Amino acid sequence: MSGQRKTPQARDRTIGAQLRAVRLEQTTLNLEAAARAVGWSAATLSRTENGKRHITSEDVSAVLAVYGVPVAQRDELIESARAGAQAGWWSRPLPGVVPDLGTLASYESTATALTDWSLAVVPGLLQTERYAAGFMLADGAVQKDVETRWMARLRRQQVLPRVDYVAFIHETALRTPFGGVDALKEQLAHLLEASHRGRGVRVVREHVPHRALLHSWLMLHFPQAATVLHVELYRSGLFLHDSEVRVYEDVRSELDDLALSGAESRSMIGRLLEGL
């Protein structure tokens, strides 16, 4: 068994889901029997199938050899594991940027849909530079790290053209002038532009009681793996998986009912912008 030398990334969720599908659809092995045949513990195989450990191409080769899959299929999955292991920009440590950001960016790079829920700050994927810098400084960042952190955020934003994205934004976030009033004006104008370009921007009004007020989060959907939820904490983050995500899927449905429509949200953002 290969050592766990790296933190699990988004590609591990996809590869693990593929290995689980092969076991269930092309063998008669249950989890315990398959693990014994590979020479692993059942816990290790379970974590592999759920993308909770880094999976090497050697791991994939060992598992598929035991499962007896056709050579062409085996070679394709091994090559996919090799290709997915290629480093992206997020794999390199960046000064002033929390390590969890690399894991989040790797998830975003393979997601097909993203849902943001943000209470007090415009979501990072929709932030402008001056607004983002204002928030970072308020968050305690030192000036020399702000540019690096912004460049990392800007790179994350590059996923938006290819994913189905919707941001539910609480009205409070639209009234808080991180970076000053001019920065907020620029930010609101950017939200209007993003909405016109097809990004889902939905405002949730103030003073409406609902359970989503507890905290902000980002939900990530994948084509061949289970949904993952990221909760941003103070200078760190937490990833939730499987059964932990289900309640948030219910909350997302509630937000869809509570939020203003896209057109109503644009109208409200426009009024806020005019009032500044």
Side-chain angles (χ1 to χ4, degrees):
M1 180 181 68
S2 300
Q4 297 178 39
R5 296 179 296 275
K6 298 180 181 179
T7 302
Q9 300 285 321
R11 47 85 70 180
D12 297 305
R13 297 279 292 181
T14 300
I15 295 169
Q18 290 172 334
L19 292 178
R20 183 173 186 273
V22 170
R23 177 174 65 81
L24 293 176
E25 297 170 11
Q26 297 179 231
T27 81
T28 58
L29 298 169
N30 61 23
L31 182 73
E32 291 75 16
R36 283 196 302 271
V38 178
W40 294 356
S41 68
T44 295
L45 182 55
S46 175
R47 292 177 66 228
T48 299
E49 291 186 346
N50 287 287
K52 295 181 180 179
R53 63 181 288 269
H54 175 65
I55 307 172
T56 67
S57 57
E58 290 79 9
D59 291 333
V60 175
S61 178
V63 171
L64 295 181
V66 167
Y67 293 171
V69 301
V71 173
Q73 181 187 10
R74 185 180 66 204
D75 290 347
E76 180 181 349
L77 290 174
I78 292 171
E79 182 55 35
S80 176
R82 269 197 205 103
Q86 298 301 312
W89 67 265
W90 51 80
S91 66
R92 297 182 290 277
L94 297 171
V97 177
V98 296
D100 284 343
L101 181 71
T103 303
L104 176 59
S106 78
Y107 275 120
E108 290 170 339
S109 72
T110 57
T112 53
L114 302 170
T115 300
D116 253 318
W117 161 235
S118 195
L119 273 169
V121 184
V122 171
L125 291 174
L126 291 174
Q127 288 179 5
T128 57
E129 184 174 3
R130 283 204 295 172
Y131 178 94
F135 172 72
M136 292 171 191
L137 291 171
D139 188 41
V142 295
Q143 186 66 54
K144 67 181 179 64
D145 291 336
V146 168
E147 184 175 357
T148 303
R149 289 179 62 178
W150 166 246
M151 291 307 298
R153 188 156 300 183
L154 192 60
R155 284 176 172 176
R156 287 179 54 215
Q157 292 180 2
Q158 292 173 3
V159 305
L160 289 183
R162 62 164 189 75
V163 298
D164 181 8
Y165 178 77
V166 60
F168 294 102
I169 307 174
H170 195 264
E171 185 177 344
T172 300
L174 304 178
R175 297 182 181 275
T176 306
F178 286 109
V181 174
D182 286 343
L184 181 59
K185 287 181 180 179
E186 185 180 77
Q187 179 63 73
L188 293 178
H190 179 70
L191 289 178
L192 283 176
E193 181 185 357
S195 181
H196 283 299
R197 289 202 312 268
R199 312 282 183 262
V201 178
R202 307 272 307 277
V203 178
V204 176
R205 297 300 304 267
E206 289 179 323
H207 312 307
V208 177
H210 53 90
R211 58 177 171 170
L213 291 170
L214 183 61
H215 60 79
S216 305
W217 41 261
L218 172 66
M219 186 176 290
L220 305 102
H221 303 271
F222 305 95
Q224 300 182 55
T227 300
V228 174
L229 190 116
H230 179 254
V231 179
E232 187 171 356
L233 305 176
Y234 188 64
R235 298 187 185 172
S236 65
L238 176 68
F239 290 94
L240 304 182
H241 304 278
D242 305 322
S243 60
E244 299 169 320
V245 177
R246 290 178 194 137
V247 65
Y248 289 91
E249 293 174 328
D250 293 338
V251 172
R252 192 216 181 282
S253 296
E254 292 173 19
L255 286 171
D256 198 36
D257 292 334
L258 284 168
L260 300 177
S261 68
E264 291 169 333
S265 296
R266 284 191 295 273
S267 179
M268 180 180 176
I269 294 169
R271 292 195 300 271
L272 290 173
L273 183 56
E274 290 173 359
L276 291 174

